[in-house]
């Protein structure tokens, strides 16, 4: 997959990380809380703390979260830059499809106009 502008690896990593619903829920929780420990996050999910830590590692590798040690705790927070790169890629992809659909519409409308004109000419 090409993320365009050299962001392909970032986009690939983000999309792969977000493919899992548990990781999306973790990201949602972190976005709502600002930051949280794996223990606090696990309290809100039907998975163990160890599973949460593994999911956070995948999100971290994709650049979506970062961990910051505060005393004995590791606190995680959302890092929006990778999401921004992915959102820009998706917006560019959507714009490309919009252009293609507009071209198809224009061609179809022109073909319809031509067909109507031919029918009028034949009726004369």
């Amino acid at each position: 997959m090409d993320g365009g502008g050299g962001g392909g690896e970032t986009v690939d990593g983000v999309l792969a990380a977000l493919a899992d619903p548990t990781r999306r829920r973790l990201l949602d929780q972190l976005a709502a809380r600002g930051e949280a420990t794996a223990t606090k996050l696990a309290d809100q999910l039907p998975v163990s703390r160890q599973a949460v830590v593994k999911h956070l590692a995948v999100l971290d590798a994709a650049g979506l979260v970062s961990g910051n040690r505060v005393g004995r705790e590791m606190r995680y927070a959302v890092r929006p830059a990778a999401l921004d790169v992915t959102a820009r890629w998706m917006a560019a992809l959507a714009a490309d499809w919009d252009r293609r659909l507009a071209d198809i519409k224009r061609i179809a409308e022109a073909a319809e106009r031509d067909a109507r004109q031919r029918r009028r000419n034949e009726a004369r």
Side-chain angles (χ1 to χ4, degrees):
M1 174 179 310
D2 180 16
E9 288 179 20
T10 298
V11 171
D12 290 349
V14 167
L15 294 178
L18 295 179
D20 184 276
T22 300
R23 289 193 284 269
R24 290 192 304 271
R25 285 184 65 192
L26 284 169
L27 202 58
D28 287 343
Q29 283 189 30
L30 285 172
R33 292 173 180 240
E35 72 174 21
T37 64
T39 302
K40 292 285 186 191
L41 293 166
D43 289 344
Q44 304 298 314
L45 295 169
V47 296
S48 68
R49 181 193 173 284
Q50 291 79 11
V52 167
V53 169
K54 288 180 181 181
H55 284 298
L56 288 168
V58 173
L59 292 170
D60 187 19
L64 294 169
V65 301
S66 62
N68 180 35
R69 186 162 295 283
V70 178
R72 290 179 32 184
E73 292 183 328
M74 181 68 85
R75 295 186 184 167
Y76 295 89
V78 174
R79 290 174 41 200
L83 282 174
D84 292 344
V85 169
T86 304
R88 284 193 302 274
W89 173 79
M90 292 175 84
L93 183 65
D96 187 45
W97 276 104
D98 287 345
R99 280 190 298 278
R100 290 177 187 198
L101 291 172
D103 288 346
I104 291 169
K105 179 181 178 188
R106 184 179 40 75
I107 291 166
E109 288 171 345
E112 179 62 29
R113 280 192 305 275
D114 292 348
R116 272 193 304 244
Q117 186 62 42
R118 276 194 303 275
R119 286 192 298 270
R120 282 190 206 121
N121 290 344
E122 290 171 0
R124 290 182 189 172

mmCIF file of all heavy atoms in Angstrom, residues 43-62:
data_model
loop_
_atom_site.group_PDB
_atom_site.id
_atom_site.type_symbol
_atom_site.label_atom_id
_atom_site.label_comp_id
_atom_site.label_asym_id
_atom_site.label_seq_id
_atom_site.Cartn_x
_atom_site.Cartn_y
_atom_site.Cartn_z
ATOM 1 N N ASP A 43 -9.004 -2.438 33.075
ATOM 2 C CA ASP A 43 -10.230 -2.408 33.871
ATOM 3 C C ASP A 43 -11.465 -2.188 32.997
ATOM 4 O O ASP A 43 -12.567 -2.571 33.381
ATOM 5 C CB ASP A 43 -10.176 -1.300 34.929
ATOM 6 C CG ASP A 43 -9.197 -1.606 36.057
ATOM 7 O OD1 ASP A 43 -8.781 -2.782 36.188
ATOM 8 O OD2 ASP A 43 -8.840 -0.662 36.791
ATOM 9 N N GLN A 44 -11.287 -1.557 31.852
ATOM 10 C CA GLN A 44 -12.402 -1.217 30.970
ATOM 11 C C GLN A 44 -12.605 -2.216 29.830
ATOM 12 O O GLN A 44 -13.502 -2.027 29.012
ATOM 13 C CB GLN A 44 -12.173 0.180 30.367
ATOM 14 C CG GLN A 44 -11.975 1.260 31.391
ATOM 15 C CD GLN A 44 -13.182 1.436 32.287
ATOM 16 O OE1 GLN A 44 -14.303 1.475 31.813
ATOM 17 N NE2 GLN A 44 -12.957 1.508 33.590
ATOM 18 N N LEU A 45 -11.763 -3.238 29.778
ATOM 19 C CA LEU A 45 -11.822 -4.194 28.669
ATOM 20 C C LEU A 45 -11.918 -5.627 29.180
ATOM 21 O O LEU A 45 -11.441 -5.922 30.269
ATOM 22 C CB LEU A 45 -10.564 -4.059 27.796
ATOM 23 C CG LEU A 45 -10.389 -2.739 27.068
ATOM 24 C CD1 LEU A 45 -8.995 -2.643 26.481
ATOM 25 C CD2 LEU A 45 -11.437 -2.594 25.971
ATOM 26 N N PRO A 46 -12.475 -6.509 28.365
ATOM 27 C CA PRO A 46 -12.584 -7.917 28.766
ATOM 28 C C PRO A 46 -11.312 -8.716 28.456
ATOM 29 O O PRO A 46 -11.379 -9.868 28.023
ATOM 30 C CB PRO A 46 -13.773 -8.414 27.943
ATOM 31 C CG PRO A 46 -13.703 -7.609 26.686
ATOM 32 C CD PRO A 46 -13.209 -6.247 27.122
ATOM 33 N N VAL A 47 -10.148 -8.083 28.629
ATOM 34 C CA VAL A 47 -8.869 -8.756 28.403
ATOM 35 C C VAL A 47 -7.950 -8.482 29.589
ATOM 36 O O VAL A 47 -8.165 -7.546 30.356
ATOM 37 C CB VAL A 47 -8.184 -8.302 27.087
ATOM 38 C CG1 VAL A 47 -9.016 -8.686 25.864
ATOM 39 C CG2 VAL A 47 -7.907 -6.819 27.095
ATOM 40 N N SER A 48 -6.931 -9.293 29.709
ATOM 41 C CA SER A 48 -6.001 -9.146 30.830
ATOM 42 C C SER A 48 -5.098 -7.929 30.646
ATOM 43 O O SER A 48 -4.955 -7.392 29.546
ATOM 44 C CB SER A 48 -5.138 -10.401 30.953
ATOM 45 O OG SER A 48 -4.261 -10.479 29.838
ATOM 46 N N ARG A 49 -4.462 -7.531 31.734
ATOM 47 C CA ARG A 49 -3.490 -6.443 31.680
ATOM 48 C C ARG A 49 -2.357 -6.793 30.721
ATOM 49 O O ARG A 49 -1.888 -5.952 29.967
ATOM 50 C CB ARG A 49 -2.945 -6.152 33.081
ATOM 51 C CG ARG A 49 -1.941 -5.010 33.092
ATOM 52 C CD ARG A 49 -1.180 -4.926 34.411
ATOM 53 N NE ARG A 49 -0.129 -3.949 34.325
ATOM 54 C CZ ARG A 49 1.036 -4.122 33.685
ATOM 55 N NH1 ARG A 49 1.306 -5.249 33.075
ATOM 56 N NH2 ARG A 49 1.945 -3.161 33.660
ATOM 57 N N GLN A 50 -1.919 -8.069 30.751
ATOM 58 C CA GLN A 50 -0.837 -8.503 29.862
ATOM 59 C C GLN A 50 -1.251 -8.369 28.395
ATOM 60 O O GLN A 50 -0.441 -7.964 27.550
ATOM 61 C CB GLN A 50 -0.435 -9.957 30.164
ATOM 62 C CG GLN A 50 0.244 -10.143 31.498
ATOM 63 C CD GLN A 50 -0.735 -10.161 32.677
ATOM 64 O OE1 GLN A 50 -1.951 -10.228 32.510
ATOM 65 N NE2 GLN A 50 -0.196 -10.085 33.891
ATOM 66 N N ALA A 51 -2.511 -8.691 28.088
ATOM 67 C CA ALA A 51 -3.000 -8.533 26.711
ATOM 68 C C ALA A 51 -3.021 -7.058 26.328
ATOM 69 O O ALA A 51 -2.647 -6.692 25.204
ATOM 70 C CB ALA A 51 -4.386 -9.150 26.564
ATOM 71 N N VAL A 52 -3.428 -6.212 27.261
ATOM 72 C CA VAL A 52 -3.446 -4.768 27.002
ATOM 73 C C VAL A 52 -2.033 -4.279 26.712
ATOM 74 O O VAL A 52 -1.816 -3.503 25.776
ATOM 75 C CB VAL A 52 -4.078 -4.002 28.191
ATOM 76 C CG1 VAL A 52 -3.810 -2.503 28.088
ATOM 77 C CG2 VAL A 52 -5.574 -4.265 28.258
ATOM 78 N N VAL A 53 -1.060 -4.743 27.488
ATOM 79 C CA VAL A 53 0.336 -4.332 27.268
ATOM 80 C C VAL A 53 0.793 -4.746 25.866
ATOM 81 O O VAL A 53 1.453 -3.968 25.161
ATOM 82 C CB VAL A 53 1.263 -4.916 28.359
ATOM 83 C CG1 VAL A 53 2.725 -4.726 28.000
ATOM 84 C CG2 VAL A 53 0.956 -4.271 29.711
ATOM 85 N N LYS A 54 0.421 -5.936 25.428
ATOM 86 C CA LYS A 54 0.801 -6.391 24.078
ATOM 87 C C LYS A 54 0.138 -5.526 23.005
ATOM 88 O O LYS A 54 0.775 -5.146 22.020
ATOM 89 C CB LYS A 54 0.433 -7.856 23.885
ATOM 90 C CG LYS A 54 1.330 -8.790 24.664
ATOM 91 C CD LYS A 54 0.944 -10.237 24.442
ATOM 92 C CE LYS A 54 1.839 -11.152 25.264
ATOM 93 N NZ LYS A 54 1.520 -12.568 25.065
ATOM 94 N N HIS A 55 -1.140 -5.211 23.208
ATOM 95 C CA HIS A 55 -1.833 -4.343 22.251
ATOM 96 C C HIS A 55 -1.209 -2.952 22.235
ATOM 97 O O HIS A 55 -1.040 -2.350 21.163
ATOM 98 C CB HIS A 55 -3.327 -4.247 22.588
ATOM 99 C CG HIS A 55 -4.120 -5.441 22.202
ATOM 100 N ND1 HIS A 55 -4.256 -5.880 20.908
ATOM 101 C CD2 HIS A 55 -4.853 -6.302 22.960
ATOM 102 C CE1 HIS A 55 -5.032 -6.936 20.872
ATOM 103 N NE2 HIS A 55 -5.403 -7.238 22.108
ATOM 104 N N LEU A 56 -0.850 -2.437 23.399
ATOM 105 C CA LEU A 56 -0.201 -1.129 23.464
ATOM 106 C C LEU A 56 1.146 -1.138 22.744
ATOM 107 O O LEU A 56 1.531 -0.147 22.123
ATOM 108 C CB LEU A 56 -0.031 -0.684 24.918
ATOM 109 C CG LEU A 56 -1.326 -0.273 25.631
ATOM 110 C CD1 LEU A 56 -1.083 -0.141 27.128
ATOM 111 C CD2 LEU A 56 -1.891 1.013 25.045
ATOM 112 N N ALA A 57 1.852 -2.262 22.807
ATOM 113 C CA ALA A 57 3.133 -2.369 22.094
ATOM 114 C C ALA A 57 2.922 -2.266 20.590
ATOM 115 O O ALA A 57 3.717 -1.633 19.876
ATOM 116 C CB ALA A 57 3.826 -3.678 22.456
ATOM 117 N N VAL A 58 1.845 -2.869 20.082
ATOM 118 C CA VAL A 58 1.536 -2.772 18.644
ATOM 119 C C VAL A 58 1.180 -1.336 18.284
ATOM 120 O O VAL A 58 1.656 -0.797 17.275
ATOM 121 C CB VAL A 58 0.383 -3.743 18.264
ATOM 122 C CG1 VAL A 58 -0.059 -3.527 16.824
ATOM 123 C CG2 VAL A 58 0.804 -5.195 18.484
ATOM 124 N N LEU A 59 0.369 -0.696 19.124
ATOM 125 C CA LEU A 59 0.005 0.702 18.879
ATOM 126 C C LEU A 59 1.229 1.612 18.946
ATOM 127 O O LEU A 59 1.362 2.554 18.156
ATOM 128 C CB LEU A 59 -1.055 1.162 19.889
ATOM 129 C CG LEU A 59 -2.442 0.522 19.748
ATOM 130 C CD1 LEU A 59 -3.311 0.865 20.956
ATOM 131 C CD2 LEU A 59 -3.106 0.935 18.450
ATOM 132 N N ASP A 60 2.138 1.317 19.869
ATOM 133 C CA ASP A 60 3.380 2.087 19.993
ATOM 134 C C ASP A 60 4.245 1.914 18.751
ATOM 135 O O ASP A 60 4.767 2.888 18.197
ATOM 136 C CB ASP A 60 4.130 1.664 21.249
ATOM 137 C CG ASP A 60 5.341 2.539 21.548
ATOM 138 O OD1 ASP A 60 5.430 3.664 21.027
ATOM 139 O OD2 ASP A 60 6.210 2.088 22.305
ATOM 140 N N ALA A 61 4.380 0.682 18.283
ATOM 141 C CA ALA A 61 5.188 0.413 17.087
ATOM 142 C C ALA A 61 4.623 1.126 15.861
ATOM 143 O O ALA A 61 5.375 1.530 14.968
ATOM 144 C CB ALA A 61 5.272 -1.093 16.831
ATOM 145 N N ALA A 62 3.306 1.311 15.826
ATOM 146 C CA ALA A 62 2.667 2.014 14.709
ATOM 147 C C ALA A 62 2.728 3.529 14.882
ATOM 148 O O ALA A 62 2.295 4.276 14.002
ATOM 149 C CB ALA A 62 1.208 1.566 14.581
#
